[in-house]
Amino acid sequence: MEQVTPAHIWATLSTISSDSVSTEKFGGITYVKWMAAHAIMMKHFPEYTWEFLQDEHGKHTHFFPDKTCEVRCRVAVGDVSHTTTLPVYGKSNTAQPNPNAHQVNTAKQRCRVKALAEFGLFHHMWSDLPLEEPDAPTAADPKPEAVTQTPKERLAGYYELHREKLFSATSTEDMKAKWARFENSVRNLKVDITEDQLAELAKEYREDLKALKKNQKAKK
């Protein structure tokens, strides 16, 4: 592999525009979807690697006394590496005590994208974020306004919830079967999801799964 330097990596990744990249919003913060970031890295630095650091018990969650935790991800391009951390958040975008598997998995992928920002990839999206979370609201604080999800946002959340099962497909037929079951469960939600929205998400699923399998094959 040709040796790369931190300056070369930054010069390559920091100039890539995020205008046409797939993103998602959570707690008022816009995140680049992890597969979109992965696709860009595979285009420019396909040799890059990543790992989620384990605690002394071999778990990917690093807990604190208040039962909240963070995840830690190390990304490397050749001999250049960065390690970043990210709290495991709940729905209110604050650290979640005793988080579930979905919340941990989501934090891991966002932490991976955050690590890529330290190489320069979409670093501007993290530049204006506060270094500390706001203090927890007190009884005197006004109650936050209720947030109503649009059908499309609810569909995206439901997709994330079932991502692990969908991405465990082992063949084309298995992929089709898993997606058919997912579509049926979406229709059972009885929300205003259009066929066009489902078709768009199905296309995204096929592309993401194809890229994932390609990456897994390349690592063998």
Side-chain angles (χ1 to χ4, degrees):
M1 179 184 68
E2 182 182 352
Q3 186 177 8
V4 293
T5 65
H8 170 65
I9 299 171
W10 183 271
T12 302
L13 298 178
S14 63
T15 58
I16 297 175
S17 173
S18 61
D19 293 344
S20 59
V21 175
S22 181
T23 60
E24 60 181 345
K25 280 189 175 291
F26 179 80
I29 299 173
T30 300
Y31 293 89
V32 173
K33 289 188 176 181
W34 68 270
M35 184 54 74
H38 171 69
I40 291 172
M41 289 301 295
M42 290 301 293
K43 178 180 179 180
H44 295 279
F45 298 102
E47 70 278 8
Y48 95 106
T49 60
W50 68 92
E51 63 174 324
F52 297 104
L53 305 186
Q54 300 178 344
D55 66 3
E56 64 272 21
H57 305 295
K59 297 182 180 297
H60 289 155
T61 44
H62 301 259
F63 276 87
F64 301 103
D66 63 354
K67 297 184 179 180
T68 63
C69 63
E70 68 180 16
V71 293
R72 302 169 185 174
C73 183
R74 179 187 294 124
V75 174
V77 179
D79 295 328
V80 185
S81 67
H82 288 293
T83 299
T84 57
T85 65
L86 192 72
V88 179
Y89 292 119
K91 292 182 178 179
S92 59
N93 206 32
T94 56
Q96 173 68 44
N98 299 316
N100 59 39
H102 173 64
Q103 291 167 330
V104 171
N105 182 66
T106 299
K108 287 168 68 177
Q109 301 306 336
R110 287 177 179 157
C111 188
R112 176 178 159 194
V113 175
K114 182 182 178 184
L116 294 177
E118 297 200 14
F119 285 98
L121 186 63
F122 308 134
H123 62 95
H124 62 282
M125 299 183 72
W126 297 86
S127 299
D128 297 329
L129 299 185
L131 294 178
E132 298 180 357
E133 294 179 11
D135 294 334
T138 64
D141 292 331
K143 293 184 178 180
E145 296 181 3
V147 178
T148 303
Q149 285 186 313
T150 65
K152 188 173 183 179
E153 290 173 336
R154 188 172 179 184
L155 175 60
Y158 199 63
Y159 175 63
E160 288 294 329
L161 184 63
H162 290 77
R163 177 183 288 274
E164 186 174 353
K165 183 179 293 184
L166 287 167
F167 279 67
S168 66
T170 57
S171 66
T172 302
E173 292 303 317
D174 189 25
M175 177 191 71
K176 292 178 180 179
K178 290 183 184 300
W179 183 257
R181 287 193 291 270
F182 174 77
E183 277 196 341
N184 287 335
S185 64
V186 169
R187 292 188 175 95
N188 288 335
L189 293 175
K190 296 182 179 179
V191 293
D192 190 20
I193 303 295
T194 68
E195 292 301 318
D196 286 345
Q197 288 171 337
L198 274 173
E200 181 181 352
L201 187 58
K203 180 181 178 181
E204 178 182 333
Y205 167 54
R206 291 193 298 270
E207 292 175 349
D208 287 356
L209 183 59
K210 182 179 179 181
L212 179 62
K213 298 299 183 185
K214 182 178 180 180
N215 182 52
Q216 290 175 339
K217 185 177 180 180
K219 287 187 175 183
K220 292 182 178 179

